[in-house]
Every structure is written in structure tokens, then in C-alpha cells.
Amino acid sequence: MTTATLLVRAVPPQAVRELLVRDDAGRPAVPFADHEGGAPLRCCLRRSRPGERIALVSYAPLRRWAAETGVDPGAYDEQGPVFLHAEECAGPEGEDLPFTSAHRVLRRYSADGRILGGRPVQTPEDFAPALREAFADPAVALVHVRAVEYGCFLYEVRRG
């Protein structure tokens, strides 16, 4: 998914396959039917529908990015819960920024995996300007969009 010159990245399909076998905390996934729906799925960046089979797994987004780029995330390596489809899905659809209907934090990271700061966003209209501001700083390599209420990772944004 792209938004102008930014690339919005869901949890990549290969990582989803790995996480459904053993998550980043070393535990096997336990799929279940989401009877209510509404879980924020990080594989396709939409909310689950009632009855869909999903799994809640531990995911270490900065660790995986660091492995891809050859960086040591040091103490900033963290893992947290994310919902995924329990079976392969088609991935994100559309060009809109996902999960913008609630307060979020945009956490900025440098190319060496260090936190450069964060910015809360409160309305859907705040997202694009806040991301443009983040990437106006050449030191920013990526941004994590996170939930305010739990701190959970929602998705990653990189330069497109």
C-alpha cells in the first residue's frame, strides 16, 4: 500500500507464515474464530469480520526490520501482541491509511534502529501531515504507527 511517496507496510506474508508456526516470543500460534469481529489485523490492515479465523501472536517489528537491514536494535528491540489471519490472506487493499479512527502515536526510528521521537495524532486528518513531517527529517528511516491505549504496533511506514 502506498500513500503518495510513503509505503505503508503490513506484516509481510513470509513473516505471517513464520509467526503462525512460532511467534517472536517462541510460542506456537493458537488460531480461533473471532465471533465478534473488529480485531485490527496486521496482515491486511483492516478489522476482522465476525467468524473469521485469526490468531494473536507476539511480533517484534523492529527486530525483523533490523535483521533485514543489518542493524542491531539494541534495547529498542521489543515484541508485542498483533492479530493476524490464521490462514493466508490477500494483504492490504486500497490506498487509505488504515486504523486512523482513534488516537495513535507515530514513533520515529533512525537507520541505526534508535527512537528519534514520537508524535501523537488524534484525527484522521492529522496522519498525512504528521507522516510528512516525520519523513522531512532525513534521519528518519521508518515510522511505527502504534495504538495509544495499549502501545501495540499497527503498521510500519517507510519512504516509497
Side-chain angles (χ1 to χ4, degrees), residues 35-121:
H35 297 294
E36 295 179 20
L41 297 166
R42 280 34 167 247
C43 50
C44 56
L45 302 180
R46 68 165 175 80
R47 297 219 176 253
S48 63
R49 296 181 185 109
E52 283 189 298
R53 290 196 45 79
I54 64 174
L56 181 61
V57 301
S58 287
Y59 180 57
L62 193 63
R63 180 187 312 163
R64 287 179 176 266
W65 171 82
E68 176 186 317
T69 59
V71 172
D72 176 6
Y76 295 103
D77 179 23
E78 61 183 334
Q79 62 194 28
V82 297
F83 288 102
L84 303 170
H85 273 114
E87 292 87 27
E88 190 170 335
C89 75
E93 298 175 3
E95 297 296 316
D96 294 334
L97 287 169
F99 307 129
T100 61
S101 61
H103 295 175
R104 305 291 183 218
V105 170
L106 305 183
R107 189 184 296 169
R108 304 169 185 186
Y109 290 91
S110 66
D112 62 357
R114 302 301 181 251
I115 294 176
L116 294 176
R119 177 178 172 188
V121 290

Side-chain angles (χ1 to χ4, degrees), residues 121-136:
V121 290
Q122 297 184 7
T123 68
E125 298 79 29
D126 293 339
F127 276 80
L131 286 166
R132 282 194 299 274
E133 173 189 295
F135 286 108

